């Protein structure tokens, strides 16, 4: 479970900012907090919603989660000649432009708090640390800093951190994480921590679709297909149930491309059809929508492609949501409300907020522009966060709880009139005089 995420000098974030899933002192909506094993004295939140103007940094926060997860999983892979670590500092202030970026995540794994972070530039890992709290007692397992001659200097907690650490350090390139390398070599203490990022943290940026994942689950998991059918039936789409089946396999070698497409891109598309499950599933698996005529027994069946964007978006989200709810994961979604009616977005959020539908204590963090969600019957005050840019263009991240609003305060109204900030500062839109038509 996620406790806190901290970042510094990444894209629009300049100074250090953090989002916390630790509940505040408020007593409202107590069911939306979790007393987690190993962290009982500090209840955690089931969900958090992030609001803010366009270009205020909401997506950059999601991208920070995505970068950290991806770098932890992949940093020890083959080095591309001349390649850089894909991290971008805050570019609108010279003080930050040449400085490294910093990320830290604090989470619970099997009832034990873990605190892992690193400092990185496009060229190298400058600092890296892992602190573990078994029985609530701090143990810094390792700490890596800059050494002489461009190398790394290492600190090991020898009583607590086992194994041949020196060999693992020697195998760690300057642009790779020790955590990734140690997991690659199956270090008994590190591999379960590394696997947590793979198996318990799911990030869904808005430019990467999850439909292929959902279609695969519809085709292979009857329980999920039944659940998804029940959800879309309850969502007033007029759908009775879903049917998934595999189409005849596509032979990439028989694909016909336009002559002007480069051979390298043709090869990429062919390889993707074979190895990329997102693309493969969307082409391989057909989902049929079953509707009943006038509520009777007669059925009409057609392909999912004939459905509205809202229906397809809802179905796309159900795959990740089902997996996360089933496995006590953390789901981080950018613009969860895209193409969805406000009532549908509420229903998805309530899947996480309600212990009856979230018995495994999964967590949801999402960005949205839907201000109807600013409702104290749906969220606690500490579950609502805002992003806002300052005069330098840097993103600030803060909680509604910081304003100490009343429990029954009209949050949506207060937000729209600017009480909490995080709204666009609009000037009047104009139209060129010379383009006005005359009679």
């Amino acid at each position: 479970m996620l406790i806190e995420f901290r970042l510094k000098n990444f894209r629009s974030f300049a100074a250090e900012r953090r989002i916390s899933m630790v509940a505040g002192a408020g007593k409202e909506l107590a069911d939306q907090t979790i007393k987690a094993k190993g962290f009982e004295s500090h209840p955690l939140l089931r969900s958090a919603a992030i609001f803010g103007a366009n270009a205020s940094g909401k997506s950059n926060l999601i991208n920070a989660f995505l970068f950290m997860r991806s770098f932890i999983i992949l940093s020890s892979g083959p080095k591309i000649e001349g390649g850089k670590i894909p991290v971008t500092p805050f570019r609108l202030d010279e003080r930050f432009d040449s400085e490294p970026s910093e990320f830290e995540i604090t989470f619970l794994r099997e009832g034990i708090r873990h605190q892992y972070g690193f400092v990185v530039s496009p060229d190298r890992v400058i600092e890296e640390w892992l602190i573990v709290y078994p029985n609530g007692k701090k143990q810094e397992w390792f700490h890596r800093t800059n050494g002489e001659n461009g190398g790394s200097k290492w600190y090991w907690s020898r009583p607590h951190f086992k194994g041949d650490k020196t060999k693992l350090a020697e195998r760690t390139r300057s642009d790779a994480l020790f955590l990734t390398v140690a997991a690659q070599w199956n270090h008994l203490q590190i591999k379960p921590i590394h696997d947590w990022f793979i198996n318990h943290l799911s990030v869904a940026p808005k430019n990467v679709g999850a439909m292929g994942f959902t279609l695969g689950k519809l085709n292979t998991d009857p329980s999920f297909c039944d659940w998804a059918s029940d959800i879309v039936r309850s969502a007033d789409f007029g759908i009775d149930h879903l049917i998934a089946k595999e189409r005849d396999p596509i032979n990439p070698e028989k694909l016909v491309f336009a002559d002007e497409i480069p051979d390298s891109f043709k090869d990429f598309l062919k390889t993707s059809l074979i190895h990329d499950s997102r693309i493969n599933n969307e082409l391989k698996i057909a989902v049929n929508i079953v509707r009943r005529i006038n509520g009777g027994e007669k059925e009409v069946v057609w392909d999912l492609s004939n459905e509205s964007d809202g229906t397809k978006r809802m179905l796309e989200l159900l795959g990740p949501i089902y997996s996360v709810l089933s496995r006590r994961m953390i789901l981080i979604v950018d613009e969860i409300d895209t193409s969805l009616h406000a009532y549908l977005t509420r229903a998805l959020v309530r899947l996480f907020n309600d212990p009856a539908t979230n018995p495994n204590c999964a967590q949801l963090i999402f960005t949205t522009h839907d201000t109807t969600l600013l409702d104290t019957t749906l969220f606690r005050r500490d579950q609502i966060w805002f992003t806002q840019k300052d005069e330098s263009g840097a993103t600030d991240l803060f909680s509604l709880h910081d304003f100490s609003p009343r429990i029954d305060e009209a949050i949506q109204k207060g937000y729209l009139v600017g009480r909490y900030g995080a709204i666009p500062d609009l000037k009047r839109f104009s139209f060129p005089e010379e383009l006005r038509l005359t009679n």
Side-chain angles (χ1 to χ4, degrees), residues 172-286:
T172 303
R173 300 191 313 260
S174 62
D175 62 347
L177 294 170
F178 177 80
L179 189 85
T180 316
V181 173
Q184 186 179 32
W185 288 90
N186 293 314
H187 187 279
L188 291 178
Q189 289 172 288
I190 293 297
K191 188 154 192 329
I193 298 172
H194 181 266
D195 288 350
W196 182 88
F197 290 93
I198 299 173
N199 299 322
H200 291 275
L201 183 62
S202 179
V203 185
K206 60 186 173 186
N207 58 341
V208 178
M211 185 60 86
F213 175 78
T214 297
L215 294 182
K217 286 194 70 64
L218 285 171
N219 188 49
T220 59
D221 187 341
S223 296
F224 169 67
C225 193
D226 291 342
W227 180 79
S229 294
D230 182 61
I231 292 291
V232 296
R233 189 163 49 244
S234 302
D236 195 27
F237 290 141
I239 296 172
D240 186 74
H241 61 279
L242 308 168
I243 300 174
K245 60 181 181 179
E246 290 191 19
R247 295 186 174 100
D248 293 335
I250 298 173
N251 185 347
E253 298 304 322
K254 292 185 177 180
L255 293 175
V256 178
F257 297 96
D259 293 338
E260 58 268 23
I261 295 178
D263 289 339
S264 59
F265 190 61
K266 294 176 186 177
D267 292 338
F268 168 76
L269 291 174
K270 291 177 181 179
T271 303
S272 296
L273 284 174
I274 298 171
H275 299 292
D276 191 325
S277 62
R278 291 175 303 168
I279 298 174
N280 195 297
N281 283 344
E282 291 200 46
L283 295 174
K284 181 178 69 174
I285 299 168

Side-chain angles (χ1 to χ4, degrees), residues 140-145 153-159 161:
E140 187 174 34
W141 283 9
F142 69 83
H143 196 155
R144 167 192 188 179
T145 57
K153 184 178 179 181
W154 301 88
Y155 164 80
W156 315 106
S157 176
R158 299 190 182 278
F161 191 44

